[in-house]
Amino acid sequence: MNEVMLIGRLTYDPEAVPSETAGIICRMRIAFTDRKDKTHFFRVVAFGKQAESCINNLSKGDLIGIVGRLEQNTWQDKEGNKRESVGIVATHVDFLRVKSFRRNDDEDIEA
Protein backbone atom coordinates (compact mmCIF):
# COMPACT_ATOMS: atom_id res chain seq x y z
CA MET A 1 0.00 0.00 0.00
CA ASN A 2 1.32 3.42 -0.93
CA GLU A 3 -0.95 6.26 0.15
CA VAL A 4 -0.17 9.53 1.89
CA MET A 5 -2.42 12.29 3.26
CA LEU A 6 -0.99 15.63 4.30
CA ILE A 7 -2.21 19.11 5.15
CA GLY A 8 0.24 21.92 4.58
CA ARG A 9 0.88 25.37 3.16
CA LEU A 10 2.28 26.10 -0.27
CA THR A 11 5.80 27.49 -0.08
CA TYR A 12 5.59 29.09 -3.55
CA ASP A 13 2.99 29.64 -6.29
CA PRO A 14 2.15 26.45 -8.24
CA GLU A 15 4.19 26.06 -11.43
CA ALA A 16 2.80 24.86 -14.74
CA VAL A 17 5.07 22.43 -16.58
CA PRO A 18 4.10 21.40 -20.12
CA SER A 19 4.39 17.70 -20.96
CA GLU A 20 3.99 15.98 -24.31
CA THR A 21 2.47 12.88 -22.74
CA ALA A 22 0.61 14.18 -19.67
CA GLY A 23 -0.68 17.60 -20.76
CA ILE A 24 -0.07 20.19 -18.05
CA ILE A 25 1.71 19.16 -14.88
CA CYS A 26 1.47 21.29 -11.75
CA ARG A 27 4.53 21.39 -9.47
CA MET A 28 4.10 22.58 -5.90
CA ARG A 29 5.91 22.35 -2.59
CA ILE A 30 4.13 22.14 0.75
CA ALA A 31 5.38 22.61 4.28
CA PHE A 32 3.85 21.24 7.45
CA THR A 33 4.90 21.16 11.08
CA ASP A 34 4.69 17.91 13.05
CA ARG A 35 3.78 17.46 16.71
CA LYS A 36 7.42 17.98 17.71
CA ASP A 37 7.45 21.41 16.00
CA LYS A 38 9.72 20.17 13.20
CA THR A 39 8.86 21.54 9.74
CA HIS A 40 8.90 19.15 6.77
CA PHE A 41 8.86 20.05 3.07
CA PHE A 42 7.53 17.88 0.25
CA ARG A 43 7.42 18.28 -3.52
CA VAL A 44 3.99 17.60 -4.99
CA VAL A 45 2.89 17.08 -8.59
CA ALA A 46 -0.66 17.03 -9.94
CA PHE A 47 -1.91 16.15 -13.42
CA GLY A 48 -4.85 16.91 -15.72
CA LYS A 49 -7.82 18.94 -14.49
CA GLN A 50 -6.50 18.78 -10.92
CA ALA A 51 -3.28 20.45 -12.12
CA GLU A 52 -5.20 23.17 -13.99
CA SER A 53 -7.37 23.89 -10.96
CA CYS A 54 -4.33 24.19 -8.68
CA ILE A 55 -2.51 26.50 -11.11
CA ASN A 56 -5.57 28.75 -11.56
CA ASN A 57 -6.69 28.98 -7.92
CA LEU A 58 -3.76 28.51 -5.54
CA SER A 59 -0.88 30.71 -4.46
CA LYS A 60 1.94 30.78 -1.94
CA GLY A 61 0.72 30.46 1.65
CA ASP A 62 -2.57 28.71 0.84
CA LEU A 63 -3.51 25.76 3.07
CA ILE A 64 -4.23 22.58 1.11
CA GLY A 65 -4.91 18.92 1.79
CA ILE A 66 -3.17 16.33 -0.39
CA VAL A 67 -4.07 12.70 -0.98
CA GLY A 68 -1.65 10.79 -3.16
CA ARG A 69 1.20 8.35 -3.34
CA LEU A 70 4.91 8.59 -2.63
CA GLU A 71 7.26 8.35 -5.59
CA GLN A 72 11.03 8.04 -5.43
CA ASN A 73 13.14 9.66 -8.16
CA THR A 74 16.79 8.95 -8.94
CA TRP A 75 19.09 10.99 -11.21
CA GLN A 76 22.69 12.07 -11.70
CA ASP A 77 23.74 15.65 -11.01
CA LYS A 78 26.19 17.65 -13.16
CA GLU A 79 29.15 16.18 -11.28
CA GLY A 80 27.94 12.61 -11.90
CA ASN A 81 26.78 12.00 -8.32
CA LYS A 82 23.70 9.84 -7.80
CA ARG A 83 20.84 11.85 -6.27
CA GLU A 84 17.49 10.70 -4.88
CA SER A 85 14.34 12.43 -3.72
CA VAL A 86 10.89 11.41 -2.59
CA GLY A 87 7.85 13.39 -3.71
CA ILE A 88 4.09 13.07 -3.73
CA VAL A 89 1.96 12.40 -6.80
CA ALA A 90 -1.39 13.96 -5.88
CA THR A 91 -4.58 12.11 -6.72
CA HIS A 92 -6.70 14.66 -4.88
CA VAL A 93 -6.07 18.23 -3.70
CA ASP A 94 -8.46 20.01 -1.32
CA PHE A 95 -8.35 23.81 -1.13
CA LEU A 96 -8.71 24.37 2.62
CA ARG A 97 -7.85 28.08 2.99
CA VAL A 98 -7.07 30.10 -0.07
CA LYS A 99 -6.50 33.85 -0.13
CA SER A 100 -8.61 34.42 -3.22
CA PHE A 101 -10.19 32.64 -6.15
CA ARG A 102 -9.61 33.88 -9.68
CA ARG A 103 -12.36 34.08 -12.25
CA ASN A 104 -11.84 33.85 -16.00
CA ASP A 105 -11.77 37.65 -16.25
CA ASP A 106 -8.83 37.74 -13.76
CA GLU A 107 -10.90 39.58 -11.16
CA ASP A 108 -10.01 38.33 -7.67
CA ILE A 109 -12.78 37.21 -5.35
CA GLU A 110 -11.89 37.07 -1.66
CA ALA A 111 -12.44 33.65 -0.10
Side-chain angles (χ1 to χ4, degrees):
M1 178 182 274
N2 180 0
E3 187 172 53
V4 63
M5 292 182 271
L6 294 172
I7 294 175
R9 293 201 179 274
L10 292 174
T11 61
Y12 58 81
D13 290 343
E15 297 176 334
V17 179
S19 168
E20 291 180 16
T21 58
I24 293 179
I25 299 171
C26 174
R27 280 198 298 210
M28 303 175 278
R29 181 175 285 221
I30 63 168
F32 74 95
T33 304
D34 65 20
R35 292 181 182 162
K36 296 180 182 179
D37 286 331
K38 182 175 180 186
T39 303
H40 304 273
F41 298 88
F42 283 95
R43 289 185 184 99
V44 178
V45 293
F47 298 92
K49 292 201 180 284
Q50 187 76 69
E52 291 176 28
S53 184
C54 290
I55 292 163
N56 292 327
N57 295 296
L58 295 174
S59 61
K60 179 180 177 177
D62 289 343
L63 184 68
I64 61 173
I66 301 283
V67 177
R69 69 180 189 280
L70 294 176
E71 187 173 275
Q72 186 171 7
N73 297 304
T74 306
W75 72 95
Q76 281 189 332
D77 65 15
K78 293 177 184 177
E79 291 80 36
N81 299 313
K82 183 179 177 182
R83 299 289 184 182
E84 295 182 12
S85 70
V86 175
I88 300 169
V89 177
T91 55
H92 186 78
V93 178
D94 281 325
F95 302 171
L96 302 177
R97 276 195 206 121
V98 294
K99 289 179 247 169
S100 64
F101 289 99
R102 292 180 213 137
R103 293 195 292 194
N104 290 339
D105 59 4
D106 290 331
E107 177 184 332
D108 284 347
I109 302 170
E110 293 302 316

